Amino acid sequence: MFHRGVLAVLLASWVPYATAQDISDAERFSIPLEQINGIIQTEASGDYGEYDDPALTDTEQEALWLDSTVWQWSYNLVDRTDTLGRGYDFSPYVVCSKVPGLSGVERFDAIYQMLEDAAVDIDSGVFEGDSMYNDDDMTCRSVSAETAVFRAAIDTQPPEVTQYLQVQPMLSAMKMIEGTFQGLIDLMNDYDCTETGTCEKDTGGVTVVSSGYGGRRKGRFLQENGSSEDLTLVISLSPIVLYYLRTNEVSYETIINELLTFATGDNGMHVAEASFYDFSVDAGDMVTDRMMFYSNVVNNVTSMTTAMGSNECLDNALPNDVKIARMGNNETVSVRVETISSVMTEQELDDCLWYLVHSLTLHPYVKYLELEAVVVPLPEGPGDTSAAPSTLLPAAASMLAALAVSAAVGSFLSI
């Protein structure tokens, strides 16, 4: 992991807007990984070394988590709206209040008032938030705002308020719901896995079953028939996107196009620059297996760029094979990717898909990403086969994904 002084020097050279006070604030108000795991079940522990061999200790994971938090806070300070869209600077954060003796509603009102005052002070017109977590001791909200708003709130609030405040930028691992990574790995490796976790190499598909909202993957079931369905990822949009959509300031097509522009633009440099994992590998510091995995994916895709400047994944596969279609209600869009390329190798196809997934978790418009829940009906009788769950096509043979973008309904804040 980075030593604090080393990280400060690296950030000062990379993000001139990150002051020593910014770094101190990011450390002081961050939410530890252990606490995040109690708020929502995500891939955070996996990304930060829990499944490495040998696994990182809890102390090592927390230190790496803090490094990533400081880095993300600093990255969020840079204005990129000219190239990446008007909503890009409204980064998603988890804001928690632990004021004792208050109800969840009272804590929420206190968070709202604090951010409203800060937004007025810096002439920021809007911030948005929705529900995330509440118990007797803590209330947390997902909030989209310019990082300057949080900076102003921290600077202007008295110690008796800030001592109960936590402000955590949404890191990429926090956006991927637990089970999604392994489900995609199983898919790409063409494995069939039983309920007990035993996996065998096979030419069939893989079925992944998830529980409801934000749910964990409950099990992987052995494929028993030759039918197959599309792989579907569900993306919950960040609060600022919901605000823009509800006020008709942007369309769903615009939001999706901005996500794709982020992924495909500048020969993949938008994604590379937004990835703490890639930053850490380039800096030569210690990284986890998954961090190295994602960094390799980014580098493999950007390395596809030819001497003439073309890139099969970024110029053809992602822009040309992504089909946008409205789904059931006005807060849902499907993005269908059908890539069967004789130009890209099997490994390049896999890298292209993983690159897309990583880019989505890095974008501030994305709040959560997970595999779509599969509904398995109960059989009506001995001869009924309707209980067979849906299957997922092997992505190495053809990259076929539907990305359902679902805007989660919550409490909306604006000023």
PDB file of all heavy atoms in Angstrom, residues 94-99 104-118 127 133 138-143 150 153 157 161 164-167 413:
ATOM      1  N   VAL A  94     -21.527   8.111  -0.464  1.00  0.00           N
ATOM      2  CA  VAL A  94     -22.329   7.627   0.654  1.00  0.00           C
ATOM      3  C   VAL A  94     -22.116   8.608   1.801  1.00  0.00           C
ATOM      4  O   VAL A  94     -20.976   8.846   2.224  1.00  0.00           O
ATOM      5  CB  VAL A  94     -21.908   6.210   1.097  1.00  0.00           C
ATOM      6  CG1 VAL A  94     -22.749   5.753   2.279  1.00  0.00           C
ATOM      7  CG2 VAL A  94     -22.042   5.232  -0.059  1.00  0.00           C
ATOM      8  N   VAL A  95     -23.202   9.197   2.272  1.00  0.00           N
ATOM      9  CA  VAL A  95     -23.125  10.152   3.367  1.00  0.00           C
ATOM     10  C   VAL A  95     -23.879   9.566   4.549  1.00  0.00           C
ATOM     11  O   VAL A  95     -25.077   9.254   4.450  1.00  0.00           O
ATOM     12  CB  VAL A  95     -23.729  11.508   2.972  1.00  0.00           C
ATOM     13  CG1 VAL A  95     -23.604  12.506   4.117  1.00  0.00           C
ATOM     14  CG2 VAL A  95     -23.044  12.054   1.720  1.00  0.00           C
ATOM     15  N   CYS A  96     -23.189   9.403   5.669  1.00  0.00           N
ATOM     16  CA  CYS A  96     -23.787   8.796   6.855  1.00  0.00           C
ATOM     17  C   CYS A  96     -23.759   9.763   8.030  1.00  0.00           C
ATOM     18  O   CYS A  96     -22.780  10.502   8.216  1.00  0.00           O
ATOM     19  CB  CYS A  96     -23.054   7.511   7.254  1.00  0.00           C
ATOM     20  SG  CYS A  96     -23.177   6.171   6.063  1.00  0.00           S
ATOM     21  N   SER A  97     -24.819   9.738   8.806  1.00  0.00           N
ATOM     22  CA  SER A  97     -24.901  10.511  10.039  1.00  0.00           C
ATOM     23  C   SER A  97     -25.092   9.553  11.203  1.00  0.00           C
ATOM     24  O   SER A  97     -25.952   8.667  11.152  1.00  0.00           O
ATOM     25  CB  SER A  97     -26.068  11.500   9.985  1.00  0.00           C
ATOM     26  OG  SER A  97     -26.250  12.121  11.248  1.00  0.00           O
ATOM     27  N   LYS A  98     -24.287   9.748  12.252  1.00  0.00           N
ATOM     28  CA  LYS A  98     -24.374   8.910  13.446  1.00  0.00           C
ATOM     29  C   LYS A  98     -24.767   9.715  14.681  1.00  0.00           C
ATOM     30  O   LYS A  98     -24.453   9.339  15.810  1.00  0.00           O
ATOM     31  CB  LYS A  98     -23.029   8.222  13.695  1.00  0.00           C
ATOM     32  CG  LYS A  98     -22.633   7.197  12.650  1.00  0.00           C
ATOM     33  CD  LYS A  98     -21.343   6.502  13.047  1.00  0.00           C
ATOM     34  CE  LYS A  98     -21.025   5.352  12.119  1.00  0.00           C
ATOM     35  NZ  LYS A  98     -19.785   4.637  12.522  1.00  0.00           N
ATOM     36  N   VAL A  99     -25.477  10.821  14.475  1.00  0.00           N
ATOM     37  CA  VAL A  99     -25.886  11.655  15.604  1.00  0.00           C
ATOM     38  C   VAL A  99     -26.763  10.830  16.535  1.00  0.00           C
ATOM     39  O   VAL A  99     -27.801  10.298  16.119  1.00  0.00           O
ATOM     40  CB  VAL A  99     -26.643  12.900  15.122  1.00  0.00           C
ATOM     41  CG1 VAL A  99     -27.081  13.747  16.313  1.00  0.00           C
ATOM     42  CG2 VAL A  99     -25.779  13.714  14.167  1.00  0.00           C
ATOM     43  N   GLY A 104     -34.149   8.264  12.002  1.00  0.00           N
ATOM     44  CA  GLY A 104     -33.596   8.274  10.654  1.00  0.00           C
ATOM     45  C   GLY A 104     -34.026   9.498   9.878  1.00  0.00           C
ATOM     46  O   GLY A 104     -33.233  10.093   9.145  1.00  0.00           O
ATOM     47  N   VAL A 105     -35.290   9.897  10.030  1.00  0.00           N
ATOM     48  CA  VAL A 105     -35.795  11.076   9.325  1.00  0.00           C
ATOM     49  C   VAL A 105     -35.069  12.332   9.790  1.00  0.00           C
ATOM     50  O   VAL A 105     -34.691  13.194   8.984  1.00  0.00           O
ATOM     51  CB  VAL A 105     -37.313  11.221   9.546  1.00  0.00           C
ATOM     52  CG1 VAL A 105     -37.818  12.547   8.975  1.00  0.00           C
ATOM     53  CG2 VAL A 105     -38.057  10.057   8.904  1.00  0.00           C
ATOM     54  N   GLU A 106     -34.846  12.432  11.104  1.00  0.00           N
ATOM     55  CA  GLU A 106     -34.154  13.609  11.636  1.00  0.00           C
ATOM     56  C   GLU A 106     -32.705  13.658  11.166  1.00  0.00           C
ATOM     57  O   GLU A 106     -32.186  14.729  10.839  1.00  0.00           O
ATOM     58  CB  GLU A 106     -34.223  13.597  13.166  1.00  0.00           C
ATOM     59  CG  GLU A 106     -35.620  13.858  13.713  1.00  0.00           C
ATOM     60  CD  GLU A 106     -35.712  13.622  15.201  1.00  0.00           C
ATOM     61  OE1 GLU A 106     -35.001  12.719  15.718  1.00  0.00           O
ATOM     62  OE2 GLU A 106     -36.518  14.317  15.859  1.00  0.00           O
ATOM     63  N   ARG A 107     -32.044  12.509  11.113  1.00  0.00           N
ATOM     64  CA  ARG A 107     -30.672  12.489  10.615  1.00  0.00           C
ATOM     65  C   ARG A 107     -30.634  12.866   9.131  1.00  0.00           C
ATOM     66  O   ARG A 107     -29.745  13.587   8.675  1.00  0.00           O
ATOM     67  CB  ARG A 107     -30.044  11.109  10.814  1.00  0.00           C
ATOM     68  CG  ARG A 107     -29.761  10.746  12.258  1.00  0.00           C
ATOM     69  CD  ARG A 107     -28.805   9.553  12.324  1.00  0.00           C
ATOM     70  NE  ARG A 107     -28.831   8.924  13.618  1.00  0.00           N
ATOM     71  CZ  ARG A 107     -29.476   7.800  13.916  1.00  0.00           C
ATOM     72  NH1 ARG A 107     -30.162   7.175  12.966  1.00  0.00           N
ATOM     73  NH2 ARG A 107     -29.454   7.304  15.122  1.00  0.00           N
ATOM     74  N   PHE A 108     -31.615  12.347   8.382  1.00  0.00           N
ATOM     75  CA  PHE A 108     -31.680  12.679   6.963  1.00  0.00           C
ATOM     76  C   PHE A 108     -31.878  14.171   6.768  1.00  0.00           C
ATOM     77  O   PHE A 108     -31.224  14.801   5.919  1.00  0.00           O
ATOM     78  CB  PHE A 108     -32.812  11.908   6.292  1.00  0.00           C
ATOM     79  CG  PHE A 108     -33.095  12.363   4.888  1.00  0.00           C
ATOM     80  CD1 PHE A 108     -32.184  12.113   3.879  1.00  0.00           C
ATOM     81  CD2 PHE A 108     -34.247  13.066   4.587  1.00  0.00           C
ATOM     82  CE1 PHE A 108     -32.425  12.549   2.586  1.00  0.00           C
ATOM     83  CE2 PHE A 108     -34.495  13.502   3.298  1.00  0.00           C
ATOM     84  CZ  PHE A 108     -33.580  13.246   2.297  1.00  0.00           C
ATOM     85  N   ASP A 109     -32.776  14.769   7.550  1.00  0.00           N
ATOM     86  CA  ASP A 109     -33.018  16.205   7.443  1.00  0.00           C
ATOM     87  C   ASP A 109     -31.748  16.994   7.756  1.00  0.00           C
ATOM     88  O   ASP A 109     -31.467  18.023   7.123  1.00  0.00           O
ATOM     89  CB  ASP A 109     -34.143  16.631   8.395  1.00  0.00           C
ATOM     90  CG  ASP A 109     -35.506  16.153   7.922  1.00  0.00           C
ATOM     91  OD1 ASP A 109     -35.630  15.805   6.733  1.00  0.00           O
ATOM     92  OD2 ASP A 109     -36.440  16.117   8.749  1.00  0.00           O
ATOM     93  N   ALA A 110     -30.981  16.513   8.725  1.00  0.00           N
ATOM     94  CA  ALA A 110     -29.733  17.194   9.090  1.00  0.00           C
ATOM     95  C   ALA A 110     -28.722  17.114   7.954  1.00  0.00           C
ATOM     96  O   ALA A 110     -28.015  18.097   7.663  1.00  0.00           O
ATOM     97  CB  ALA A 110     -29.160  16.572  10.360  1.00  0.00           C
ATOM     98  N   ILE A 111     -28.632  15.948   7.302  1.00  0.00           N
ATOM     99  CA  ILE A 111     -27.743  15.806   6.148  1.00  0.00           C
ATOM    100  C   ILE A 111     -28.173  16.755   5.035  1.00  0.00           C
ATOM    101  O   ILE A 111     -27.349  17.452   4.434  1.00  0.00           O
ATOM    102  CB  ILE A 111     -27.740  14.354   5.643  1.00  0.00           C
ATOM    103  CG1 ILE A 111     -27.077  13.418   6.659  1.00  0.00           C
ATOM    104  CG2 ILE A 111     -27.025  14.246   4.296  1.00  0.00           C
ATOM    105  CD1 ILE A 111     -27.209  11.945   6.308  1.00  0.00           C
ATOM    106  N   TYR A 112     -29.464  16.781   4.769  1.00  0.00           N
ATOM    107  CA  TYR A 112     -29.996  17.649   3.719  1.00  0.00           C
ATOM    108  C   TYR A 112     -29.673  19.110   3.988  1.00  0.00           C
ATOM    109  O   TYR A 112     -29.195  19.836   3.100  1.00  0.00           O
ATOM    110  CB  TYR A 112     -31.502  17.451   3.607  1.00  0.00           C
ATOM    111  CG  TYR A 112     -32.173  18.432   2.685  1.00  0.00           C
ATOM    112  CD1 TYR A 112     -32.175  18.239   1.312  1.00  0.00           C
ATOM    113  CD2 TYR A 112     -32.778  19.581   3.188  1.00  0.00           C
ATOM    114  CE1 TYR A 112     -32.777  19.151   0.462  1.00  0.00           C
ATOM    115  CE2 TYR A 112     -33.380  20.502   2.351  1.00  0.00           C
ATOM    116  CZ  TYR A 112     -33.378  20.278   0.982  1.00  0.00           C
ATOM    117  OH  TYR A 112     -33.961  21.194   0.155  1.00  0.00           O
ATOM    118  N   GLN A 113     -29.929  19.558   5.229  1.00  0.00           N
ATOM    119  CA  GLN A 113     -29.701  20.964   5.558  1.00  0.00           C
ATOM    120  C   GLN A 113     -28.233  21.330   5.441  1.00  0.00           C
ATOM    121  O   GLN A 113     -27.880  22.409   4.938  1.00  0.00           O
ATOM    122  CB  GLN A 113     -30.197  21.249   6.977  1.00  0.00           C
ATOM    123  CG  GLN A 113     -30.219  22.735   7.330  1.00  0.00           C
ATOM    124  CD  GLN A 113     -31.153  23.530   6.427  1.00  0.00           C
ATOM    125  OE1 GLN A 113     -32.333  23.197   6.282  1.00  0.00           O
ATOM    126  NE2 GLN A 113     -30.630  24.580   5.777  1.00  0.00           N
ATOM    127  N   MET A 114     -27.354  20.437   5.883  1.00  0.00           N
ATOM    128  CA  MET A 114     -25.922  20.682   5.802  1.00  0.00           C
ATOM    129  C   MET A 114     -25.472  20.847   4.347  1.00  0.00           C
ATOM    130  O   MET A 114     -24.734  21.779   4.010  1.00  0.00           O
ATOM    131  CB  MET A 114     -25.167  19.530   6.453  1.00  0.00           C
ATOM    132  CG  MET A 114     -23.654  19.640   6.351  1.00  0.00           C
ATOM    133  SD  MET A 114     -22.826  18.149   6.908  1.00  0.00           S
ATOM    134  CE  MET A 114     -23.367  16.989   5.625  1.00  0.00           C
ATOM    135  N   LEU A 115     -25.924  19.954   3.470  1.00  0.00           N
ATOM    136  CA  LEU A 115     -25.538  20.024   2.065  1.00  0.00           C
ATOM    137  C   LEU A 115     -26.188  21.213   1.367  1.00  0.00           C
ATOM    138  O   LEU A 115     -25.572  21.845   0.498  1.00  0.00           O
ATOM    139  CB  LEU A 115     -25.906  18.724   1.360  1.00  0.00           C
ATOM    140  CG  LEU A 115     -25.151  17.472   1.829  1.00  0.00           C
ATOM    141  CD1 LEU A 115     -25.675  16.236   1.106  1.00  0.00           C
ATOM    142  CD2 LEU A 115     -23.654  17.622   1.621  1.00  0.00           C
ATOM    143  N   GLU A 116     -27.414  21.526   1.742  1.00  0.00           N
ATOM    144  CA  GLU A 116     -28.082  22.683   1.151  1.00  0.00           C
ATOM    145  C   GLU A 116     -27.325  23.963   1.474  1.00  0.00           C
ATOM    146  O   GLU A 116     -27.085  24.801   0.592  1.00  0.00           O
ATOM    147  CB  GLU A 116     -29.512  22.778   1.664  1.00  0.00           C
ATOM    148  CG  GLU A 116     -30.296  23.934   1.060  1.00  0.00           C
ATOM    149  CD  GLU A 116     -31.717  23.997   1.574  1.00  0.00           C
ATOM    150  OE1 GLU A 116     -31.907  23.789   2.792  1.00  0.00           O
ATOM    151  OE2 GLU A 116     -32.626  24.251   0.777  1.00  0.00           O
ATOM    152  N   ASP A 117     -26.929  24.130   2.734  1.00  0.00           N
ATOM    153  CA  ASP A 117     -26.185  25.326   3.124  1.00  0.00           C
ATOM    154  C   ASP A 117     -24.861  25.401   2.368  1.00  0.00           C
ATOM    155  O   ASP A 117     -24.444  26.474   1.911  1.00  0.00           O
ATOM    156  CB  ASP A 117     -25.922  25.320   4.634  1.00  0.00           C
ATOM    157  CG  ASP A 117     -27.205  25.486   5.445  1.00  0.00           C
ATOM    158  OD1 ASP A 117     -28.221  25.909   4.876  1.00  0.00           O
ATOM    159  OD2 ASP A 117     -27.176  25.166   6.656  1.00  0.00           O
ATOM    160  N   ALA A 118     -24.188  24.262   2.241  1.00  0.00           N
ATOM    161  CA  ALA A 118     -22.902  24.242   1.542  1.00  0.00           C
ATOM    162  C   ALA A 118     -23.073  24.563   0.070  1.00  0.00           C
ATOM    163  O   ALA A 118     -22.262  25.292  -0.523  1.00  0.00           O
ATOM    164  CB  ALA A 118     -22.241  22.877   1.711  1.00  0.00           C
ATOM    165  N   PHE A 127     -28.206  19.289  -5.845  1.00  0.00           N
ATOM    166  CA  PHE A 127     -27.627  18.012  -5.444  1.00  0.00           C
ATOM    167  C   PHE A 127     -28.788  17.055  -5.278  1.00  0.00           C
ATOM    168  O   PHE A 127     -29.930  17.475  -5.095  1.00  0.00           O
ATOM    169  CB  PHE A 127     -26.788  18.129  -4.156  1.00  0.00           C
ATOM    170  CG  PHE A 127     -27.574  18.537  -2.941  1.00  0.00           C
ATOM    171  CD1 PHE A 127     -28.160  17.594  -2.110  1.00  0.00           C
ATOM    172  CD2 PHE A 127     -27.719  19.883  -2.624  1.00  0.00           C
ATOM    173  CE1 PHE A 127     -28.879  17.974  -0.992  1.00  0.00           C
ATOM    174  CE2 PHE A 127     -28.439  20.271  -1.504  1.00  0.00           C
ATOM    175  CZ  PHE A 127     -29.016  19.316  -0.685  1.00  0.00           C
ATOM    176  N   TYR A 133     -29.493   3.290   3.698  1.00  0.00           N
ATOM    177  CA  TYR A 133     -29.408   2.453   4.895  1.00  0.00           C
ATOM    178  C   TYR A 133     -29.893   3.249   6.097  1.00  0.00           C
ATOM    179  O   TYR A 133     -29.659   4.457   6.202  1.00  0.00           O
ATOM    180  CB  TYR A 133     -27.953   2.026   5.110  1.00  0.00           C
ATOM    181  CG  TYR A 133     -27.739   1.139   6.317  1.00  0.00           C
ATOM    182  CD1 TYR A 133     -27.918  -0.237   6.237  1.00  0.00           C
ATOM    183  CD2 TYR A 133     -27.354   1.679   7.544  1.00  0.00           C
ATOM    184  CE1 TYR A 133     -27.726  -1.051   7.345  1.00  0.00           C
ATOM    185  CE2 TYR A 133     -27.156   0.879   8.651  1.00  0.00           C
ATOM    186  CZ  TYR A 133     -27.343  -0.488   8.551  1.00  0.00           C
ATOM    187  OH  TYR A 133     -27.149  -1.290   9.647  1.00  0.00           O
ATOM    188  N   MET A 138     -27.446   4.778  12.878  1.00  0.00           N
ATOM    189  CA  MET A 138     -26.835   5.393  11.697  1.00  0.00           C
ATOM    190  C   MET A 138     -27.837   5.491  10.558  1.00  0.00           C
ATOM    191  O   MET A 138     -28.642   4.584  10.335  1.00  0.00           O
ATOM    192  CB  MET A 138     -25.617   4.568  11.259  1.00  0.00           C
ATOM    193  CG  MET A 138     -24.906   5.083  10.028  1.00  0.00           C
ATOM    194  SD  MET A 138     -23.398   4.142   9.695  1.00  0.00           S
ATOM    195  CE  MET A 138     -24.089   2.524   9.288  1.00  0.00           C
ATOM    196  N   THR A 139     -27.778   6.607   9.843  1.00  0.00           N
ATOM    197  CA  THR A 139     -28.575   6.810   8.633  1.00  0.00           C
ATOM    198  C   THR A 139     -27.637   7.178   7.492  1.00  0.00           C
ATOM    199  O   THR A 139     -26.800   8.074   7.640  1.00  0.00           O
ATOM    200  CB  THR A 139     -29.602   7.938   8.840  1.00  0.00           C
ATOM    201  OG1 THR A 139     -30.487   7.589   9.900  1.00  0.00           O
ATOM    202  CG2 THR A 139     -30.408   8.176   7.569  1.00  0.00           C
ATOM    203  N   CYS A 140     -27.768   6.477   6.362  1.00  0.00           N
ATOM    204  CA  CYS A 140     -26.898   6.732   5.211  1.00  0.00           C
ATOM    205  C   CYS A 140     -27.740   6.993   3.970  1.00  0.00           C
ATOM    206  O   CYS A 140     -28.767   6.342   3.754  1.00  0.00           O
ATOM    207  CB  CYS A 140     -25.973   5.537   4.943  1.00  0.00           C
ATOM    208  SG  CYS A 140     -24.848   5.139   6.305  1.00  0.00           S
ATOM    209  N   ARG A 141     -27.274   7.923   3.179  1.00  0.00           N
ATOM    210  CA  ARG A 141     -27.914   8.263   1.913  1.00  0.00           C
ATOM    211  C   ARG A 141     -26.886   8.227   0.796  1.00  0.00           C
ATOM    212  O   ARG A 141     -25.700   8.530   1.002  1.00  0.00           O
ATOM    213  CB  ARG A 141     -28.518   9.661   1.980  1.00  0.00           C
ATOM    214  CG  ARG A 141     -29.567   9.849   3.058  1.00  0.00           C
ATOM    215  CD  ARG A 141     -30.879   9.212   2.693  1.00  0.00           C
ATOM    216  NE  ARG A 141     -31.813   9.221   3.808  1.00  0.00           N
ATOM    217  CZ  ARG A 141     -33.091   8.888   3.724  1.00  0.00           C
ATOM    218  NH1 ARG A 141     -33.581   8.510   2.565  1.00  0.00           N
ATOM    219  NH2 ARG A 141     -33.866   8.904   4.769  1.00  0.00           N
ATOM    220  N   SER A 142     -27.353   7.860  -0.377  1.00  0.00           N
ATOM    221  CA  SER A 142     -26.535   7.998  -1.576  1.00  0.00           C
ATOM    222  C   SER A 142     -26.790   9.383  -2.136  1.00  0.00           C
ATOM    223  O   SER A 142     -27.938   9.751  -2.404  1.00  0.00           O
ATOM    224  CB  SER A 142     -26.920   6.929  -2.600  1.00  0.00           C
ATOM    225  OG  SER A 142     -26.276   7.158  -3.825  1.00  0.00           O
ATOM    226  N   VAL A 143     -25.732  10.166  -2.281  1.00  0.00           N
ATOM    227  CA  VAL A 143     -25.874  11.559  -2.691  1.00  0.00           C
ATOM    228  C   VAL A 143     -24.972  11.834  -3.893  1.00  0.00           C
ATOM    229  O   VAL A 143     -23.790  11.490  -3.882  1.00  0.00           O
ATOM    230  CB  VAL A 143     -25.503  12.523  -1.546  1.00  0.00           C
ATOM    231  CG1 VAL A 143     -25.612  13.972  -2.014  1.00  0.00           C
ATOM    232  CG2 VAL A 143     -26.402  12.283  -0.335  1.00  0.00           C
ATOM    233  N   PHE A 150     -19.248  18.831  -0.694  1.00  0.00           N
ATOM    234  CA  PHE A 150     -18.843  18.122   0.515  1.00  0.00           C
ATOM    235  C   PHE A 150     -17.677  18.834   1.193  1.00  0.00           C
ATOM    236  O   PHE A 150     -17.608  18.907   2.422  1.00  0.00           O
ATOM    237  CB  PHE A 150     -18.463  16.683   0.175  1.00  0.00           C
ATOM    238  CG  PHE A 150     -19.587  15.890  -0.421  1.00  0.00           C
ATOM    239  CD1 PHE A 150     -19.567  15.506  -1.747  1.00  0.00           C
ATOM    240  CD2 PHE A 150     -20.683  15.544   0.346  1.00  0.00           C
ATOM    241  CE1 PHE A 150     -20.600  14.787  -2.298  1.00  0.00           C
ATOM    242  CE2 PHE A 150     -21.729  14.822  -0.192  1.00  0.00           C
ATOM    243  CZ  PHE A 150     -21.695  14.440  -1.514  1.00  0.00           C
ATOM    244  N   ALA A 153     -19.159  21.732   3.032  1.00  0.00           N
ATOM    245  CA  ALA A 153     -19.905  21.295   4.210  1.00  0.00           C
ATOM    246  C   ALA A 153     -18.974  20.964   5.366  1.00  0.00           C
ATOM    247  O   ALA A 153     -19.205  21.348   6.522  1.00  0.00           O
ATOM    248  CB  ALA A 153     -20.759  20.085   3.859  1.00  0.00           C
ATOM    249  N   GLN A 157     -18.997  23.307   8.938  1.00  0.00           N
ATOM    250  CA  GLN A 157     -19.726  22.723  10.064  1.00  0.00           C
ATOM    251  C   GLN A 157     -18.849  22.672  11.324  1.00  0.00           C
ATOM    252  O   GLN A 157     -17.653  22.397  11.244  1.00  0.00           O
ATOM    253  CB  GLN A 157     -20.210  21.319   9.719  1.00  0.00           C
ATOM    254  CG  GLN A 157     -21.262  21.273   8.638  1.00  0.00           C
ATOM    255  CD  GLN A 157     -22.517  22.035   9.008  1.00  0.00           C
ATOM    256  OE1 GLN A 157     -23.061  21.878  10.098  1.00  0.00           O
ATOM    257  NE2 GLN A 157     -22.986  22.883   8.095  1.00  0.00           N
ATOM    258  N   VAL A 161     -20.832  18.722  14.937  1.00  0.00           N
ATOM    259  CA  VAL A 161     -21.583  18.139  13.822  1.00  0.00           C
ATOM    260  C   VAL A 161     -20.706  17.158  13.044  1.00  0.00           C
ATOM    261  O   VAL A 161     -21.112  16.027  12.765  1.00  0.00           O
ATOM    262  CB  VAL A 161     -22.113  19.238  12.880  1.00  0.00           C
ATOM    263  CG1 VAL A 161     -22.744  18.611  11.631  1.00  0.00           C
ATOM    264  CG2 VAL A 161     -23.119  20.112  13.594  1.00  0.00           C
ATOM    265  N   TYR A 164     -19.874  13.357  13.867  1.00  0.00           N
ATOM    266  CA  TYR A 164     -20.843  12.297  13.585  1.00  0.00           C
ATOM    267  C   TYR A 164     -21.058  12.083  12.080  1.00  0.00           C
ATOM    268  O   TYR A 164     -21.960  11.363  11.680  1.00  0.00           O
ATOM    269  CB  TYR A 164     -22.189  12.619  14.235  1.00  0.00           C
ATOM    270  CG  TYR A 164     -22.127  12.752  15.737  1.00  0.00           C
ATOM    271  CD1 TYR A 164     -22.344  13.986  16.360  1.00  0.00           C
ATOM    272  CD2 TYR A 164     -21.837  11.646  16.533  1.00  0.00           C
ATOM    273  CE1 TYR A 164     -22.289  14.107  17.746  1.00  0.00           C
ATOM    274  CE2 TYR A 164     -21.784  11.752  17.916  1.00  0.00           C
ATOM    275  CZ  TYR A 164     -22.002  12.989  18.515  1.00  0.00           C
ATOM    276  OH  TYR A 164     -21.939  13.107  19.882  1.00  0.00           O
ATOM    277  N   LEU A 165     -20.234  12.727  11.272  1.00  0.00           N
ATOM    278  CA  LEU A 165     -20.433  12.709   9.822  1.00  0.00           C
ATOM    279  C   LEU A 165     -19.429  11.791   9.137  1.00  0.00           C
ATOM    280  O   LEU A 165     -18.251  11.747   9.506  1.00  0.00           O
ATOM    281  CB  LEU A 165     -20.285  14.126   9.270  1.00  0.00           C
ATOM    282  CG  LEU A 165     -20.393  14.312   7.750  1.00  0.00           C
ATOM    283  CD1 LEU A 165     -21.810  14.016   7.281  1.00  0.00           C
ATOM    284  CD2 LEU A 165     -19.971  15.736   7.361  1.00  0.00           C
ATOM    285  N   GLN A 166     -19.892  11.045   8.130  1.00  0.00           N
ATOM    286  CA  GLN A 166     -19.017  10.257   7.272  1.00  0.00           C
ATOM    287  C   GLN A 166     -19.378  10.542   5.817  1.00  0.00           C
ATOM    288  O   GLN A 166     -20.558  10.593   5.459  1.00  0.00           O
ATOM    289  CB  GLN A 166     -19.169   8.760   7.552  1.00  0.00           C
ATOM    290  CG  GLN A 166     -18.649   8.327   8.920  1.00  0.00           C
ATOM    291  CD  GLN A 166     -18.880   6.848   9.169  1.00  0.00           C
ATOM    292  OE1 GLN A 166     -20.014   6.390   9.173  1.00  0.00           O
ATOM    293  NE2 GLN A 166     -17.807   6.102   9.378  1.00  0.00           N
ATOM    294  N   VAL A 167     -18.357  10.745   4.985  1.00  0.00           N
ATOM    295  CA  VAL A 167     -18.553  11.034   3.562  1.00  0.00           C
ATOM    296  C   VAL A 167     -17.598  10.144   2.766  1.00  0.00           C
ATOM    297  O   VAL A 167     -16.386  10.322   2.835  1.00  0.00           O
ATOM    298  CB  VAL A 167     -18.282  12.516   3.246  1.00  0.00           C
ATOM    299  CG1 VAL A 167     -18.495  12.782   1.760  1.00  0.00           C
ATOM    300  CG2 VAL A 167     -19.169  13.422   4.089  1.00  0.00           C
ATOM    301  N   LEU A 413     -33.582  15.125  -3.590  1.00  0.00           N
ATOM    302  CA  LEU A 413     -33.257  16.396  -2.997  1.00  0.00           C
ATOM    303  C   LEU A 413     -32.826  17.368  -4.059  1.00  0.00           C
ATOM    304  O   LEU A 413     -31.997  17.042  -4.905  1.00  0.00           O
ATOM    305  CB  LEU A 413     -32.095  16.244  -1.994  1.00  0.00           C
ATOM    306  CG  LEU A 413     -32.089  15.006  -1.105  1.00  0.00           C
ATOM    307  CD1 LEU A 413     -30.842  15.034  -0.250  1.00  0.00           C
ATOM    308  CD2 LEU A 413     -33.326  14.962  -0.251  1.00  0.00           C
TER     309      LEU A 413
END
